[in-house]
Amino acid sequence: MKILKKIVIVLFSLVVLVGILLGYLTIVEYRPKQQSTTSVKNNQTEVLKLNETYKSLTFNIGYASLGKDEDFVMDGGSKGRTDSKSVMQGYLEGIQNILLGSNSDFYLLQEVDQKSRRSYNENQVLSNAEALGDSYAYTFAYNFKAQFVPFPVSFTDYIGYVESGLQTFSKFKMDEAVRHQFPGEFSWPLRIANLKRAMVVHEYSIEGSDKKFILVNLHMSAYDGDGTLREQEMAYLKAFLNEQKTLGNYVMVGGDFNQTFPEAIGIYPPTQDIWVAYDMETDFLPEGYSFELDLTHPSCRLLNQPYDPLDSNTQYYIIDGFIVSDNISVTDVVNLNHGFLYSDHNPIEITFKLN
């Protein structure tokens, strides 16, 4: 009886501790507004012009922790972070070299950690800004902010505290940057340790035009089970695109959509059902818009294991790219295929003109 009593006491204590933890995490949960202005750091003075050639790059950098030697617990792997800070820093240096080599006018980056246990508290936002230098304005907005993420179940490898989000760079003056919270959320208690998906809308003046250039950086839902979050997010994005079309603005949306684009359906059939990217609705795009993609290489890989292009268990996706309004002429879209050395995504580069 004494042993049974001790077991009951231990179990009751654990329940109380878990209850206290969930209560605390609920109280301090990140609850963003529907729309909030995002500060522009190091804003530039040069203004965009019509009929000039510009270049933009979108890149999910995977918090510089999902390179070629990594797997991830949510993709069928086991890890929550890299084996050491030096490994993460090596990936980050490689990512920044890709950015510098592109010399784009705009960079749309996703999964950039500002302060997170999973990336050894490296301020990647500041590091990226220092790497690109004073010729770029930049913004940062949260896409994931949580006091404690308990996965994977490990005393050393758990994700823990997370501050991560969307970082955008520009060689041109930003008039305004606004974070838009996507609708929908996970049920409690999953919600308190999960992402708060968003898109950041950057507005630019154009010399000689009363219209604006609207540049959107987004990262949409991935692990939402039946896809209801994606449906709400896509409906929100579609309404936004329609509104901008009515205003006559020049619109470019880039990022990680976490869905297979209509033109890419069937290129990389699922080899397993660990994580299957939903097919985007073929009639999603409003009139006056087009997808701009490079279908010659995958834009993402599954993190079920370290990268091995010869292994049949290696799963690919095309889920990164751009949506562009028809008053923008696109001259080239290129997947900068780096073999997933530094991230589980490849960067996508687009060259364009404002007509």
Side-chain angles (χ1 to χ4, degrees):
M1 289 298 292
K2 289 184 178 180
I3 295 176
L4 181 59
K5 185 177 180 180
K6 289 181 179 180
I7 292 173
V8 170
I9 291 172
V10 169
L11 291 176
F12 179 76
S13 300
L14 288 174
V15 170
V16 170
L17 288 173
V18 170
I20 292 171
L21 177 62
L22 288 175
Y24 168 74
L25 294 177
T26 301
I27 292 170
V28 300
E29 180 187 357
Y30 174 53
R31 295 180 176 89
K33 296 179 181 179
Q34 177 55 50
Q35 292 187 21
S36 54
T37 300
T38 300
S39 63
V40 180
K41 307 292 187 183
N42 193 42
N43 209 356
Q44 303 295 297
T45 58
E46 189 173 353
V47 178
L48 289 167
K49 297 178 176 64
L50 297 173
N51 300 314
E52 294 285 332
T53 299
Y54 300 113
K55 189 161 59 173
S56 181
L57 180 143
T58 181
F59 192 7
N60 182 332
I61 71 168
Y63 46 99
S65 301
L66 300 176
K68 65 180 180 65
D69 295 324
E70 311 305 321
D71 62 51
F72 181 54
V73 63
M74 295 295 288
D75 280 8
S78 61
K79 298 174 70 173
R81 63 176 185 169
T82 61
D83 293 336
S84 68
K85 185 171 185 176
S86 63
V87 172
M88 180 278 299
Q89 289 173 327
Y91 289 145
L92 185 59
E93 182 180 353
I95 288 163
Q96 291 170 350
N97 285 335
I98 288 173
L99 301 181
L100 290 168
S102 171
N103 191 30
S104 287
D105 300 290
F106 309 93
Y107 293 98
L108 310 177
L109 308 181
Q110 302 87 43
E111 290 196 16
V112 183
D113 277 6
Q114 182 169 253
K115 183 181 180 182
S116 303
R117 184 184 186 275
R118 64 185 184 179
S119 52
Y120 297 88
N121 295 317
E122 176 87 11
N123 190 335
Q124 298 172 355
V125 175
L126 183 59
S127 179
N128 290 338
E130 291 174 345
L132 288 174
D134 291 337
S135 59
Y136 286 90
Y138 72 93
T139 65
F140 174 77
Y142 290 124
N143 204 47
F144 193 6
K145 187 177 183 182
Q147 292 293 316
F148 182 71
V149 180
F151 304 109
V153 179
S154 165
F155 287 113
T156 59
D157 208 32
Y158 66 92
I159 292 172
Y161 182 80
V162 178
E163 283 186 24
S164 185
L166 308 167
Q167 187 173 24
T168 305
F169 289 92
S170 167
K171 288 183 178 179
F172 298 91
K173 182 182 178 182
M174 298 184 193
D175 295 340
E176 186 180 45
V178 178
R179 181 191 185 277
H180 290 237
Q181 175 63 36
F182 279 129
E185 61 183 10
F186 288 92
S187 59
W188 187 90
L190 287 178
R191 187 188 70 227
I192 59 180
N194 229 305
L195 289 89
K196 300 293 194 297
R197 301 283 185 175
M199 67 181 193
V200 185
V201 179
H202 304 83
E203 184 177 295
Y204 298 82
S205 296
I206 305 169
E207 185 178 293
S209 175
D210 61 351
K211 305 303 180 184
K212 300 287 189 176
F213 176 52
I214 306 298
L215 182 65
V216 181
N217 185 358
L218 59 71
H219 187 189
M220 307 186 91
S221 287
Y223 305 104
D224 65 327
D226 61 2
T228 55
L229 292 184
R230 288 188 191 87
E231 291 176 2
Q232 295 176 72
E233 292 168 5
M234 293 298 279
Y236 186 91
L237 176 60
K238 190 168 189 174
F240 174 84
L241 294 174
N242 279 321
E243 177 187 11
Q244 294 301 319
K245 185 64 178 176
T246 300
L247 295 172
N249 288 328
Y250 299 79
V251 182
M252 176 173 288
V253 181
D256 178 358
F257 291 78
N258 269 317
Q259 298 167 76
T260 300
F261 297 98
E263 294 92 328
I265 294 173
I267 293 178
Y268 297 107
T271 60
Q272 49 198 304
D273 60 0
I274 297 172
W275 184 77
V276 178
Y278 281 83
D279 292 342
M280 193 179 294
E281 295 293 331
T282 55
D283 61 349
F284 163 74
L285 274 186
E287 184 177 355
Y289 290 93
S290 63
F291 291 116
E292 298 297 337
L293 315 165
D294 181 353
L295 303 178
T296 59
H297 299 288
S299 75
C300 178
R301 75 170 181 95
L302 186 69
L303 286 158
N304 58 318
Q305 59 189 24
Y307 183 53
D308 183 356
L310 302 179
D311 193 316
S312 61
N313 288 322
T314 299
Q315 176 67 55
Y316 297 112
Y317 313 94
I318 297 179
I319 57 177
D320 305 85
F322 295 90
I323 295 173
V324 176
S325 58
D326 59 8
N327 49 6
I328 297 176
S329 295
V330 175
T331 55
D332 200 16
V333 185
V334 179
N335 181 320
L336 303 181
N337 181 26
H338 60 77
F340 304 108
L341 282 174
Y342 313 115
S343 171
D344 59 321
H345 289 253
N346 279 328
I348 313 298
E349 187 181 81
I350 187 169
T351 307
F352 64 96
K353 291 182 179 181
L354 308 177
N355 296 331

